[in-house]
Amino acid sequence: PRAFLEFFNNFYGTWRHWKAFAVGLFQAFNYLRKQHGRRNKLLFLKGEPDTGKSEIARTITSYIFSMAKNVKEKKEEGESVSVQEKTASSLFAPPRLAKEVRFTTVPVAIQEARTLNLGGPTAEIIKNIATELIAYEVARPYGDNLRYPAYAGLIATTQALQIEDPGLADRIVEIAFTTRDKIPKIRVAEFNEWRAKHTADLMAFG
């Protein structure tokens, strides 16, 4: 863990990167905190491309809190590294988002979150994920209602973000990256190579 934190600091040394990393790690305790009556805030990273937003989200969801075996298998199959990494377009219907947070407490990373409809039912589900034990409930004519528990927190990345719902804004930690935070592609490649070689160590960190 110490080696990783030192290595991380060499590549992502600004306070915005460190805050994003810290708040992102905390998303794994989303459900536990709600069980004890604590309020949570979800993480939204916005701003310029090539500033490390997606790599921070991927490091947390795919490497630190995922099983090394699953990461290795996905990479060999040429698939996305983590089942916890989603694009906003795959969550076009509000219940889809609720379904993604019901399996595990590992945070769900959402890429290009600006394409989510951050109003109406989607906003309500995101608010529930932050503060409620149930993300979404479907009424049934017979028997008990179908409930999707809100186990996982969220780490969303986007280049632009506009939230008009004050209740939703109150449940989000928004970190804005600027051109000053841009990282050369060769440095990102070096970081990714180091991360791939130390998957087991990162899993132990989680």
Side-chain angles (χ1 to χ4, degrees):
R2 178 179 177 180
F4 169 72
L5 292 176
E6 291 175 348
F7 193 82
F8 181 87
N9 189 55
N10 289 335
F11 286 85
Y12 304 103
T14 73
W15 69 267
R16 282 177 288 274
H17 290 112
W18 275 108
K19 183 177 181 179
F21 188 68
V23 177
L25 287 176
F26 220 63
Q27 295 302 311
F29 302 97
N30 184 44
Y31 195 76
L32 177 64
R33 286 176 55 81
K34 288 185 292 189
Q35 286 180 309
H36 292 275
R38 303 290 182 86
R39 284 179 58 85
N40 296 289
K41 291 199 174 186
L42 308 175
L43 178 60
F44 276 61
L45 307 178
K46 74 171 187 178
E48 297 290 329
D50 302 322
T51 52
K53 302 185 302 295
S54 296
E55 291 307 324
I56 289 174
R58 187 171 296 120
T59 297
I60 293 170
T61 62
S62 302
Y63 289 85
I64 291 179
F65 288 123
S66 278
M67 295 178 62
K69 179 176 181 292
N70 290 344
V71 172
K72 183 175 183 295
E73 287 178 352
K74 291 292 183 182
K75 288 180 68 176
E76 288 176 350
E77 294 169 7
E79 299 179 13
S80 174
V81 170
S82 174
V83 295
Q84 294 299 96
E85 185 177 331
K86 305 294 177 182
T87 59
S89 59
S90 69
L91 305 172
F92 60 90
R96 289 278 186 93
L97 179 57
K99 290 178 181 179
E100 293 299 335
V101 299
R102 67 185 170 128
F103 297 109
T104 172
T105 58
V106 174
V108 175
I110 303 176
Q111 298 179 6
E112 300 305 327
R114 71 177 183 276
T115 58
L116 283 175
N117 178 17
L118 295 178
T122 300
E124 294 304 314
I125 288 177
I126 294 176
K127 287 189 281 188
N128 289 342
I129 292 171
T131 58
E132 306 297 330
L133 297 178
I134 302 299
Y136 188 69
E137 185 170 357
V138 180
R140 289 176 166 178
Y142 305 101
D144 296 333
N145 289 348
L146 178 62
R147 295 179 175 181
Y148 296 109
Y151 290 138
L154 297 180
I155 304 175
T157 64
T158 181
Q159 292 186 30
L161 180 67
Q162 183 175 1
I163 298 176
E164 298 179 354
D165 184 332
L168 179 58
D170 186 54
R171 291 168 171 81
I172 287 175
V173 173
E174 182 181 314
I175 302 177
F177 292 86
T178 68
T179 53
R180 292 176 297 177
D181 301 308
K182 285 199 172 187
I183 303 167
K185 292 186 182 296
I186 188 171
R187 296 284 285 169
V188 175
E190 290 175 7
F191 178 81
N192 292 343
E193 182 180 356
W194 186 93
R195 184 179 60 185
K197 291 180 180 178
H198 294 81
T199 299
D201 295 331
L202 291 174
M203 184 180 66
F205 182 82

